[in-house]
Amino acid sequence: MTLNGLYIPLITPFAEDGTVALAALERLANDVLDDGATGLVALGTTGEPGSLTEDERRAVIEVAARVSRERSAPLVVGAATPEALAALGEHPEVVASLTVVPPFVRPGEAGVVAHFERLAAGSPVPLIVYDVPYRTGQYLSADALRRLAALPNVTGVKYAGGGLNPDTIALMADLPPGFTVLGGDDIYISPLLAIGAHGGILASAHVATADFAALITAWHAGDVANARAIGHRLAPLSASLFAEPNPTVTKAVLHAKGRIPTPDVRLPLLPAGPESLTAALKELG
């Protein structure tokens, strides 16, 4: 299974009373699909899953699954434990799990491969490895990613290595058949697409969704001049949206545009400052 295109890792909007604004979440999910997104991601790190209760996480999945079912759009859900993965079998709309490399413990590449082998063996859906070494502390070489790609029930990687490096080039130059590479470093999505990525899971694409979708389409079509122009325009927008911890600035922009009821985040995050909001709105135009 190859997942091409643009996937939006949905934020979790909060109401004035601090509860999850499920109606706003549903509107947002439909809006990004209307604007050209291929599919949705629920409970990715952008959705602040660690600050949600179990009931809230379940409600978020239910909303995303309903929208995905009604729109015939693929749904990916963040899950990193055997229990969370098993629960995804209750939702036929879920095509894959976004499963982060174990953070903090730095188990080594062999430990990461063994970990994913165990999770994949018991999962009702294929796994997308979330490789984000500047958050997890565990770097994965091109060889390690190929070993992960060879595992049954591992379908791809959300690649967020902090830019392009020799391992990036080596992986893309000899990509395992059927293994999906979805960019996860928003600022670098255009060059990653240029060397063969299938798409992206991009928090920045909550805004300017149509432009991010057009960027992916242009690179896949070989329209280099147009793709470069779009990419050059979107990279500063992504930089402004990540000027403070994600998703604080994105939420501030969505609230300023009237798309969610508050810009609120939950601790340990703090709301974005006014300067960051102003800068992002300027880049958005």
Side-chain angles (χ1 to χ4, degrees):
M1 177 181 66
T2 301
L3 299 175
N4 295 288
L6 174 64
Y7 291 78
I8 309 299
L10 293 167
I11 59 106
T12 301
F14 298 121
E16 292 283 354
D17 63 1
T19 60
V20 176
L22 294 174
L25 176 63
E26 184 170 357
R27 288 193 302 271
L28 187 64
N30 276 298
D31 285 348
V32 296
L33 292 173
D34 286 342
D35 288 342
T38 305
L40 305 172
V41 179
L43 301 184
T45 51
T46 301
E48 304 174 70
S51 69
L52 303 179
T53 67
E54 184 59 37
D55 285 345
E56 288 172 333
R57 289 192 290 270
R58 188 161 41 246
V60 166
I61 293 175
E62 289 173 354
V63 168
R66 181 170 65 251
V67 173
S68 296
R69 180 172 62 253
E70 293 171 351
R71 302 295 299 271
S72 298
L75 173 62
V76 176
V77 176
T81 66
E83 296 77 16
L85 288 165
L88 299 184
E90 302 170 8
H91 301 282
E93 302 82 8
V94 179
V95 300
S97 165
L98 182 61
T99 305
V100 71
V101 170
F104 189 75
V105 293
R106 295 190 294 182
E109 291 186 339
V112 170
V113 173
H115 174 74
F116 273 91
E117 183 175 23
R118 179 177 67 91
L119 290 180
S123 175
V125 298
L127 307 188
I128 299 171
V129 177
Y130 186 7
D131 179 23
V132 55
Y134 53 88
R135 291 182 182 269
T136 65
Q138 175 65 64
Y139 184 82
L140 295 180
S141 66
D143 178 67
L145 288 168
R146 291 195 190 97
R147 289 161 63 196
L148 287 166
L151 295 176
N153 214 28
V154 172
T155 192
V157 60
K158 178 183 178 182
Y159 190 78
L164 275 61
N165 59 52
D167 276 304
T168 314
I169 305 305
L171 175 68
M172 299 308 299
D174 186 21
L175 196 63
F179 189 63
T180 299
V181 175
L182 297 171
D185 276 320
D186 298 31
I187 296 172
Y188 301 106
I189 185 59
S190 188
L192 190 63
L193 289 164
I195 61 172
H198 298 89
I201 298 176
L202 305 172
S204 300
H206 279 88
V207 302
T209 309
D211 290 335
F212 280 98
L215 174 69
I216 294 171
T217 298
W219 277 120
H220 287 175
D223 186 357
V224 175
N226 189 34
R228 283 178 175 168
I230 299 171
H232 290 160
R233 187 172 73 250
L234 290 178
L237 172 62
S238 291
S240 71
L241 291 169
F242 279 82
E244 297 191 40
N246 184 51
T248 61
V249 182
T250 295
K251 279 191 160 184
V253 170
L254 291 172
H255 177 250
K257 293 292 186 179
R259 297 177 64 188
I260 58 175
T262 74
D264 295 350
V265 290
R266 287 181 179 172
L267 291 170
L269 296 175
L270 296 173
E275 300 86 358
S276 296
L277 172 59
T278 299
L281 289 172
K282 182 179 179 181
E283 290 293 345
L284 185 58

